Amino acid sequence: MNGSLAVNKHNLLEALRGALSADAAVRVPYEAALAAWEAAPGYATALLRVYESPPAGCGGAERLLAVLCLKAAVGRRWNERRSGEPAISDAEKAEVRARLLPATDEREPALASQLVLTAATIARLEGLAAWPALLPALTASCTRPAPLDAARGLSALYRVVKLQASRRLLAHRKAFFALSEQLHAPLASLRTSHARALLGRVQPLLGGPADQPIAGSGAGGEACALLAIKTERQLLLHGYARAHASQARGC
């Protein structure tokens, strides 16, 4: 397939299907076309349209590949790495950010995981300050009544926090210290409520007195408690200025 063709729904869907072929002679040209389109305006949003509103005959494999291609394009083209090298435009970036915000509503695990990783990568590349709507959306999704829905939100928050913790410039460290202060109390409250709910279900199995039912104690409560603890661990390891200052003095 010719990678110089314009990016449109028909060409993109054909390339996604071809790239899934088990026959290398068929697959390789389509993979090359998808790679060439990374530099084309509108490629990222076209991939999101395939995911959001798949055309007739577009199955789960094509949707997942579209999201994987989006993640790859974001990693390579979100910021201009070299002078003159094509990058995703500011207008397209804004559209991608807006369309990724509902990613925690995706119920298919493979799709949800890749969408969240894409959002977390964007937040790492440009910082949370450049995407002010992301953190409020994530924290709101962590407190949804259904435990499985809350677990998806906590998983997304954990991935974003983990990648934010990997930013090493001084300005990035200061931003993460502020993020830790912001998230400490909400995460502690979530961890406590889900851990109590989990203990309330375990105690009867151990012969102990059963606690009163607690909201959020349904399926997914265990995942919520674990994800809250994992996110808090990132904050404890990387997010407190006094601890890092004490460690530096000790060295």
Side-chain angles (χ1 to χ4, degrees):
M1 185 177 190
N2 189 349
S4 64
L5 292 174
V7 181
N8 58 47
K9 184 183 293 186
H10 173 76
N11 291 338
L12 184 56
L13 186 56
E14 180 186 352
L16 291 170
R17 286 173 175 161
L20 291 168
S21 174
D23 185 346
V26 175
R27 183 180 68 253
V28 171
Y30 286 109
E31 290 176 338
L34 289 170
W37 279 337
E38 284 186 2
Y43 176 65
T45 49
L47 289 168
L48 277 170
R49 281 194 292 272
V50 171
Y51 157 71
E52 294 169 341
S53 305
C58 178
E62 288 88 353
R63 293 179 73 213
L64 178 57
L65 182 56
V67 174
L68 289 169
C69 289
L70 173 66
K71 185 178 73 170
V74 162
R76 288 192 283 260
R77 302 286 182 176
W78 195 260
N79 293 328
E80 186 180 31
R81 294 185 174 183
R82 301 179 186 86
S83 179
E85 186 176 86
I88 298 173
S89 69
D90 290 342
E92 191 170 5
K93 285 179 180 179
E95 188 173 351
V96 169
R97 290 191 205 99
R99 289 185 170 193
L100 282 176
L101 278 182
T104 54
D105 294 329
E106 174 58 58
R107 294 179 177 273
E108 174 58 40
L111 284 169
S113 176
Q114 297 304 319
L115 287 165
V116 166
L117 280 172
T118 303
T121 299
I122 291 171
R124 186 189 188 283
L125 288 171
E126 60 184 12
L128 288 172
W131 195 354
L134 179 61
L135 195 59
L138 292 179
T139 52
S141 68
C142 294
T143 58
R144 291 182 290 200
L148 289 175
D149 292 339
R152 282 193 291 271
L154 279 162
S155 177
L157 180 64
Y158 168 70
R159 290 173 186 269
V160 169
V161 167
K162 186 176 181 180
L163 285 190
Q164 289 296 305
S166 69
R167 305 175 84 217
R168 296 303 180 195
L169 295 180
L170 180 59
H172 300 160
R173 304 307 310 137
K174 290 181 177 180
F176 194 76
F177 294 156
L179 177 66
S180 298
E181 294 289 341
Q182 182 180 354
L183 292 179
H184 173 74
L187 278 171
S189 176
L190 284 169
R191 181 244 306 152
T192 300
S193 63
H194 287 296
R196 287 181 58 210
L198 177 58
L199 289 173
R201 296 200 305 281
V202 169
Q203 283 179 345
L205 301 177
L206 301 177
D211 288 348
Q212 293 294 321
I214 300 174
S217 63
E222 297 90 341
C224 288
L226 178 60
L227 287 163
I229 291 169
K230 288 173 67 175
T231 307
E232 283 186 298
R233 179 178 181 273
Q234 292 295 319
L235 302 182
L236 289 169
L237 286 175
H238 306 290
Y240 292 98
R242 290 182 181 178
H244 283 263
S246 299
Q247 186 180 37
R249 287 196 297 270
C251 294

